[in-house]
Amino acid sequence: MNTSSLRRLHLPLTPDEARTLKAGDLVLLEGEAVATVGMPTQKRMVAEVEAGREMPLPMRGGAFFHMGVCYDEENGRPTRMHYVNPTTSSRFNALMPTLIRGLGLTALGGKGGLSRESVEAMREVGCIYFSFVGGASALLSQGVEKVVDVAWTDLIMQFRLNQIRLSGFGPVTVAIDAHGESIYERIMVSAQARLPDILETLRRPSQS
Amino acid sequence: MAITYDLVKEVTADLYNWSLRRIPESSKAKLREAVATETVPHARETLALMLASAETAETTGRFLCSDAGVPSYTIKIGSRVRMEGDIRQAIVDGFEHLVETIQPPIMRFVTHPLTNERSFKGKDMPLVSYDLLGDVDYMDITCAPKALGGGRWAAIETLVSPSLEDIERCILEMVMRAGGQHCPPVVIGVGIGGTFDHAAKLSKDATLRPFGTRHPDPMVADMEERLTRAVNQTGFGPMGCGGTTTTFGVHIDYASGHGFTPIAVSFNCWINRRTRAKIYNSGVVERIE
Ligand code: SF4
């Protein structure tokens, strides 16, 4: 795939930059993001936000990804980055509206999308959601320069807050935009609407 | 001659290791086909990225996914097989050794279901099912690691004396529930009939069939074709971002039962990690996938 013509976004985005994107856009990512796949991590984040405390890494107005990161470490510090890949975001649906609003997040990423409550919070704040291709770790990992910093090292590696630097990460799809448009929602609604027809054609014997 | 502890330890660990770095040939062929037939441009780009990434993983030895899943094996044992040593323990020890030595390292995914604690070992891990084969002198071992995305949407429903139409509607409902959450294009395995556990096993085994194979029973083969087309009409598409390629194939198997009919549906994501080898009494190892 020729990616040279794709728009490059530099993270973190400002809310206004986030609003210039539309669901369906294909882009490459530069800059920094914090990634985790941990449920306990995000519960702890919610507790910190609710207690009015700051995160241990710079996250305010930042990019936050549901993505596993594997790296070597020495004395609790990250050294060589091995690989990354997204995880399913929808299982964190209940926690995300608080995090989006509480931290003013401007970009999210993962796979599978988020629920309407998050889409609403994203519209308020000026935040977009990127779909990363699951299972495409071999290519996506080439777009991660290094693991810059980590926090909450009491957790297992992929559950920590892992701050990564991206360079030409992607291509990734804007799957939810800051105007309330979610590709996932649109597709689910249309699949439901098609179902009666699909069941009808199913009854016809196959042509082959 | 016999199949030894050492050999099983080595082969099961190798199968898991290999499975993390390359997708099956029939999946690759399906991806190539889909890049040409998918009608939504954006979905075509995604499929092309998947194919390119799988090829990169294969040639460089990188992992397909950061989620190594948990090791899961299906082992079929020929009735003329002779075994030496604790074969069950060999699989546990093989995994333990692999975890300590594999490069790049894998992360902790083995999860205690009651405490959510994660580590590299746990009760019943690796997950293994054993079947008997007829009069042959080999063990046929398939390794298919399972991760959350590909595992969590599996479902089973038990209907009473259903019609074919009822069964097909039930399958499609389970497909709708999963939507595009399981890293499509997926393989869909369906097990119908028998008992609860039997249907689940049929469904799992059906996911392991290479694409392009048809069920020998024409009625079932016809169902497979019609359901594959139906699933692709839902429009979920690659990664659930829209398109005409949601599944590369619905594979179905059935067993006779009583009037109650369990219908089990399980999925595997597009990387469809699966490796397979036969180990003979002679010690010869034949790599199949
Ligand atoms: S479901 Fe997706 S993220 Fe999970 S193992 Fe498969 S490709 Fe990787």
Side-chain angles (χ1 to χ4, degrees):
Chain A
M1 188 190 317
N2 181 13
T3 57
S4 55
S5 60
L6 294 179
R7 179 170 170 193
R8 283 174 186 263
L9 298 180
H10 195 95
L11 304 178
L13 301 170
T14 65
D16 283 341
E17 281 169 333
R19 291 188 181 102
T20 63
L21 290 142
K22 281 199 321 290
D25 289 350
L26 209 57
V27 295
L28 293 173
L29 303 181
E30 310 282 333
E32 289 188 3
V34 172
T36 190
V37 302
M39 180 69 84
T41 325
Q42 290 171 81
K43 286 188 175 156
R44 198 188 287 183
M45 287 168 75
V46 166
E48 295 292 283
V49 164
E50 282 170 350
R53 284 192 291 267
E54 282 302 312
M55 294 295 129
L57 291 174
M59 291 190 70
R60 190 155 290 284
F64 178 52
F65 295 166
H66 294 133
M67 191 159 82
V69 186
C70 181
Y71 48 88
D72 287 336
E73 52 186 337
E74 252 165 61
N75 309 318
R77 301 296 308 155
T79 54
R80 178 165 168 237
M81 201 287 297
H82 286 301
Y83 53 82
V84 300
N85 219 146
T87 192
T88 309
S89 299
S90 48
R91 61 198 165 106
F92 309 122
N93 272 336
L95 305 170
M96 291 312 292
T98 306
L99 296 182
I100 295 163
R101 292 195 181 95
L103 298 172
L105 299 171
T106 54
L108 304 169
K111 67 180 190 83
L114 289 164
S115 64
R116 187 38 45 188
E117 290 71 29
S118 293
V119 177
E120 284 306 322
M122 291 165 70
R123 175 155 57 180
E124 265 169 57
V125 170
C127 176
I128 52 176
Y129 176 93
F130 302 114
S131 163
F132 306 145
V133 177
S137 176
L139 280 191
L140 289 182
S141 300
Q142 292 175 359
V144 182
E145 245 172 51
K146 64 186 282 201
V147 183
V148 181
D149 205 353
V150 303
W152 293 347
T153 49
D154 56 307
L155 300 172
I156 60 171
M157 187 170 282
Q158 69 269 39
F159 281 15
R160 299 170 186 167
L161 292 174
N162 295 308
Q163 188 183 356
I164 49 177
R165 182 168 305 143
L166 308 172
S167 168
F169 183 82
V172 306
T173 307
V174 177
I176 305 173
D177 66 24
H179 306 286
E181 173 70 13
S182 161
I183 286 188
Y184 306 100
E185 220 170 61
R186 175 158 36 88
I187 288 168
M188 187 48 98
V189 168
S190 102
Q192 296 285 6
R194 283 182 205 177
L195 194 57
D197 276 352
I198 295 174
L199 286 166
E200 188 58 41
T201 14
L202 189 57
R203 266 174 238 141
R204 286 183 216 137
S206 83
Q207 287 98 31
S208 51
Chain B
M1 298 274 270
I3 296 174
T4 61
Y5 165 94
D6 284 337
L7 194 55
V8 171
K9 179 179 167 189
E10 187 187 319
V11 171
T12 50
D14 281 348
L15 286 174
Y16 182 49
N17 189 358
W18 293 331
S19 76
L20 302 178
R21 307 171 200 258
R22 54 178 293 275
I23 68 172
E25 284 305 318
S26 75
S27 293
K28 228 184 293 165
K30 278 288 178 189
L31 269 175
R32 282 200 197 100
E33 204 181 295
V35 171
T37 57
E38 169 64 56
T39 57
V40 177
H42 174 267
R44 263 201 313 271
E45 302 266 356
T46 303
L47 291 163
L49 175 73
M50 287 171 169
L51 184 58
S53 194
E55 282 166 348
T56 304
E58 185 169 340
T59 51
T60 61
R62 291 204 189 96
F63 289 160
L64 296 159
C65 193
S66 62
D67 194 328
V70 291
S72 150
Y73 296 90
T74 304
I75 302 187
K76 296 182 177 151
I77 302 171
S79 59
R80 277 198 281 127
V81 159
R82 281 189 302 280
M83 293 182 254
E84 210 174 272
D86 189 341
I87 300 299
R88 280 172 182 269
Q89 192 58 37
I91 302 166
V92 176
D93 295 349
F95 180 55
E96 191 173 324
H97 180 69
L98 182 72
V99 161
E100 285 160 9
T101 51
I102 191 168
Q103 279 304 324
I106 57 174
M107 297 190 281
R108 291 177 166 83
F109 295 105
V110 176
T111 307
H112 191 296
L114 306 179
T115 63
N116 281 315
E117 222 166 295
R118 289 196 170 205
S119 67
F120 286 116
K121 43 169 100 178
K123 185 172 180 303
D124 291 359
M125 197 56 69
L127 304 168
V128 189
S129 78
Y130 298 92
D131 294 327
L132 274 182
L133 281 177
D135 191 28
V136 292
D137 67 341
Y138 60 79
M139 226 181 233
D140 188 335
I141 307 179
T142 300
C143 173
K146 205 75 185 169
L148 188 141
R152 71 180 277 214
W153 297 102
I156 198 161
E157 194 97 47
T158 302
L159 306 183
V160 177
S161 304
S163 65
L164 191 58
E165 206 180 312
D166 295 334
I167 292 173
E168 293 181 346
R169 181 180 305 111
C170 174
I171 296 166
L172 268 192
E173 276 163 9
M174 295 191 211
V175 166
M176 290 296 293
R177 218 176 297 152
Q181 295 282 320
H182 38 25
C183 289
V186 289
V187 56
I188 304 178
V190 181
I192 302 166
T195 51
F196 184 82
D197 57 314
H198 197 85
K201 174 85 165 92
L202 287 176
S203 153
K204 161 71 188 276
D205 288 352
T207 63
L208 301 177
R209 249 172 64 196
F211 295 120
T213 54
R214 284 164 62 96
H215 194 281
D217 181 331
M219 182 165 87
V220 181
D222 182 67
M223 270 176 90
E224 293 181 337
E225 264 166 47
R226 286 184 295 107
L227 278 163
T228 300
R229 233 177 305 127
V231 172
N232 285 331
Q233 281 162 4
T234 57
F236 289 112
M239 291 312 292
C241 288
T244 55
T245 322
T246 303
T247 183
F248 283 149
V250 179
H251 296 168
I252 304 176
D253 204 359
Y254 72 95
S256 328
H258 201 283
F260 70 97
T261 305
I263 298 158
V265 177
S266 62
F267 305 87
N268 208 5
C269 48
W270 73 269
I271 58 175
N272 206 9
R273 290 178 290 202
R274 177 182 74 226
T275 47
R276 182 175 161 212
K278 286 182 187 171
I279 314 181
Y280 291 82
N281 274 347
S282 63
V284 167
V285 179
E286 183 191 349
R287 175 99 185 259
I288 305 202
E289 280 192 305

